[in-house]
Amino acid sequence: MTATGDADPRVVRLGAAVSRLRRELAAVRGELADRGIAEDELAALAAMAVGGLPPEPRRLRRSLLLVAGAIGSVSALAPALGGVREAIDDFGDGPGPGTGPEP
């Protein structure tokens, strides 16, 4: 939530993108060796989206990498996966070495 009590639009967008990818993954009727990994990480992303606070960008990116690795070869999921990536990009990279304010 923001200071005014409104939901953070980045979090709302992330939740919607994750929900879409979860639905599309559920519709895939083939053998995906790493389906469980993708489902677990999508569940974690969904939980972060309803947690109330903006998620940690590094944790979001880690989950995205795991999901992409698990389902990356399924071209039918590429648009939905791209939507999750774009939603995660809204959170930026987060603080890291050398990313502080310039002197």
Side-chain angles (χ1 to χ4, degrees), residues 1 18 22-23 26-27 31 38 45 50 61 67 74 77-78 80 83 86 101 103:
M1 295 284 195
V18 168
R22 290 176 91 180
R23 283 191 313 272
E31 180 63 32
L45 284 168
V50 297
R61 294 202 182 285
V67 171
V74 182
L77 298 175
E86 290 171 4

Side-chain angles (χ1 to χ4, degrees), residues 3-100:
T4 62
D6 298 328
D8 183 333
R10 300 172 304 166
V11 175
V12 172
R13 185 172 177 212
L14 175 63
V18 168
S19 179
R20 175 185 172 202
L21 182 53
R22 290 176 91 180
R23 283 191 313 272
E24 291 187 19
L25 176 60
V28 171
R29 298 287 174 222
E31 180 63 32
L32 288 173
D34 294 328
R35 182 187 295 265
I37 293 169
E39 290 171 344
D40 288 349
E41 286 304 314
L42 288 170
L45 284 168
M48 285 184 247
V50 297
L53 296 174
E56 164 61 40
R58 289 184 180 152
R59 176 64 176 101
L60 291 172
R61 294 202 182 285
R62 179 185 176 278
S63 289
L64 177 61
L65 287 172
L66 288 170
V67 171
I71 65 172
S73 64
V74 182
S75 61
L77 298 175
L81 181 61
V84 171
R85 183 194 54 79
E86 290 171 4
I88 288 173
D89 285 348
D90 287 347
F91 290 92
D93 291 330
T99 60

